Amino acid sequence: MRHSTDPRLPTWRGPSNGITQEIPPEVLALLALPHFDTLPPDQARGAVCLWCPERLTAETAVDLGEHTDPETGRWWPRACGPCTGRRAHAALYTHVTQCEPCVDDVGQCETGLALTRLVRRHRR
């Protein structure tokens, strides 16, 4: 088991310190973000969570990174912590059943480790 200060671990900085979290692209793919063209305006601009009607502030929003769509251009989706945690939890359960390193130790897989950290950071 690696210690939380292990330099091989991704850095997770939350909204509480004003620094945007960086979620690896392979993890974002597992969270199943909705398509931009299916979103109402408030969700598309990041004022409301992608998955629920929760209004977001700088303190409550989880930044899901920049995305590029050939038809709509660039957009920056955001979600609330509880929805992000639930999505990460579901993705982790699916991922560990398909990933050999995760079967032995989730800490040996960067994707599994990143999902675990998202779950821990955003659980209720």
Side-chain angles (χ1 to χ4, degrees):
M1 183 169 146
R2 292 187 237 169
H3 190 270
S4 63
T5 57
D6 187 325
R8 295 174 291 176
L9 302 180
T11 302
W12 297 97
R13 299 176 186 146
S16 62
N17 62 10
I19 299 172
T20 302
Q21 288 188 76
E22 298 215 8
I23 301 171
E26 60 275 7
V27 172
L28 286 173
L30 297 175
L31 297 181
L33 275 59
H35 291 281
F36 179 82
D37 58 352
T38 65
L39 299 173
D42 281 350
Q43 286 179 319
R45 67 183 175 87
V48 174
C49 176
L50 280 178
W51 298 296
C52 79
E54 179 76 23
R55 281 229 163 276
L56 300 172
T57 66
E59 292 80 28
T60 63
V62 177
D63 183 344
L64 300 174
E66 179 182 348
H67 295 263
T68 305
D69 183 289
E71 295 176 18
T72 58
R74 297 185 316 171
W75 65 296
W76 293 264
R78 299 187 330 156
C80 68
C83 282
T84 303
R86 282 190 294 276
R87 290 277 175 153
H89 193 247
L92 180 62
Y93 272 112
T94 301
H95 176 75
V96 298
T97 63
Q98 301 168 356
C99 175
E100 187 63 36
C102 284
V103 171
D104 297 328
D105 177 10
V106 75
Q108 294 182 21
C109 170
E110 292 300 321
T111 301
L113 187 58
L115 285 167
T116 300
R117 287 182 169 229
L118 271 177
V119 170
R120 287 181 181 165
R121 181 174 243 343
H122 298 292
R123 67 180 161 203
R124 286 190 174 221

